[in-house]
Amino acid sequence: MKKNLLTYTACLLCMLLLSFCNQQDSNDRHKEVIAEVPALEPLTTETAVDVLTAYAKQHPDSLAVISTRHGDIKVRLYKDTPLHRANFVRLTKAGFYNEGEFYRVVKGFAVQGGDSDNRKMKQGSYKIPQEFNRRYIHKKGALAMARYGDERNPDKESSSHNFYIVQGGPLTAAEIRAYEAQHGIQYTPAQAKLYQTLGGVPSLDTEYTVFGEVVEGLDVVDKIAEEPVDGTKWPKELVTHKITMVKE
């Protein structure tokens, strides 16, 4: 009887020890998962350029997926708009955009995302210097950053987090020539053809920084553009988004 009691006690101790070890392993794994999500250090306009320049060198990512209830939109970020690319990647990897939504929808123009009334994460108050590049136009599917108007923002610096994807429609050759005269630019034959066939919004060229483009999922952009909206162009039913960086 005494021998059986000792055996039972030893077995019980082993079971308790095993349970503790399993729980400790679970806690350790949980800590590892949490550690994979970096804290988002708030930036200021004074610190943004230095931080984003350093971040761009350490994080060469250029492909992201924007997931919505309408499907996925895959976007490629341009490496020759380094500050905007780094900013988008930084916010994405920190999980900032997972608290956002497409909050402004203007059919035939653009769908705008990045913000939300329900966001808890803070990114700081800063702007990004414009990185205009004549190679990149506001064709349908162009990814660009929103900004304040010229009166408040004469240098046309970009928002810290609000982005938009162009929808737009095809234009005539006469309309394209009118926009060239208005902005003092000349489109290449290839760019003019894109506006005539694919479509876009040339009135935004030289006004906002284009830093990427949709490579898959233009149909999803069209579906979002069809959302019923209220008087402020906010969708009546939330169109939340989650953004992840993916391998090339």
Side-chain angles (χ1 to χ4, degrees), residues 7 51 70-71 177 213:
T7 301
V51 171
H70 289 297
R177 287 195 296 272
E213 63 181 275

Side-chain angles (χ1 to χ4, degrees), residues 29-239:
R29 285 194 297 271
H30 182 59
K31 290 177 182 178
E32 289 174 3
V33 171
I34 292 176
E36 290 174 1
V37 180
L40 187 61
E41 175 193 355
L43 301 183
T44 66
T45 296
E46 290 72 29
T47 64
V49 171
D50 288 343
V51 171
L52 294 177
T53 298
Y55 192 91
K57 294 176 182 178
Q58 297 168 2
H59 300 266
D61 311 68
S62 61
L63 205 60
V65 172
I66 305 171
S67 299
T68 76
R69 58 181 168 82
H70 289 297
D72 290 347
I73 305 167
K74 184 179 287 188
V75 296
R76 183 175 299 282
L77 312 179
Y78 301 142
K79 293 192 175 181
D80 46 2
T81 52
L83 296 179
H84 285 71
R85 183 192 65 79
N87 185 69
F88 193 86
V89 173
R90 181 175 182 269
L91 294 181
T92 294
K93 288 190 171 184
F96 179 86
Y97 281 134
N98 293 343
E99 296 182 350
E101 62 190 271
F102 284 100
Y103 64 92
R104 185 167 184 263
V105 171
V106 184
K107 184 179 178 181
F109 185 72
V111 297
Q112 187 163 312
D115 219 339
S116 174
D117 285 343
N118 301 316
R119 167 169 285 119
K120 296 179 181 179
M121 188 177 290
K122 304 297 182 183
Q123 85 287 3
S125 178
Y126 64 97
K127 296 189 290 291
I128 308 168
Q130 58 91 351
E131 293 179 298
F132 295 159
N133 189 321
R134 291 290 179 86
R135 293 175 55 193
Y136 306 132
I137 60 175
H138 280 80
K139 64 183 181 181
K140 182 175 182 177
L143 174 67
M145 289 302 276
R147 67 175 177 83
Y148 288 117
D150 290 356
E151 289 186 4
R152 295 177 59 183
N153 182 25
D155 293 328
K156 301 180 179 180
E157 295 176 301
S158 296
S159 162
S160 63
H161 60 290
N162 293 314
F163 64 88
Y164 62 90
I165 301 174
V166 175
Q167 192 194 31
L171 294 96
T172 66
E175 287 174 320
I176 294 170
R177 287 195 296 272
Y179 283 117
E180 286 180 323
Q182 179 182 344
H183 293 278
I185 61 178
Q186 185 172 1
Y187 295 115
T188 67
Q191 289 174 329
K193 185 176 180 180
L194 276 175
Y195 272 140
Q196 289 178 283
T197 55
L198 181 61
V201 185
S203 62
L204 300 176
D205 288 337
T206 72
E207 297 293 328
Y208 300 83
T209 296
V210 175
F211 69 101
E213 63 181 275
V214 174
V215 293
E216 291 179 23
L218 275 177
D219 60 318
V220 177
V221 176
D222 289 336
K223 289 175 183 176
I224 296 172
E226 293 289 341
E227 284 282 337
V229 298
D230 63 19
T232 64
K233 303 299 183 183
W234 201 303
K236 293 182 178 180
E237 184 179 351
L238 292 181
V239 184

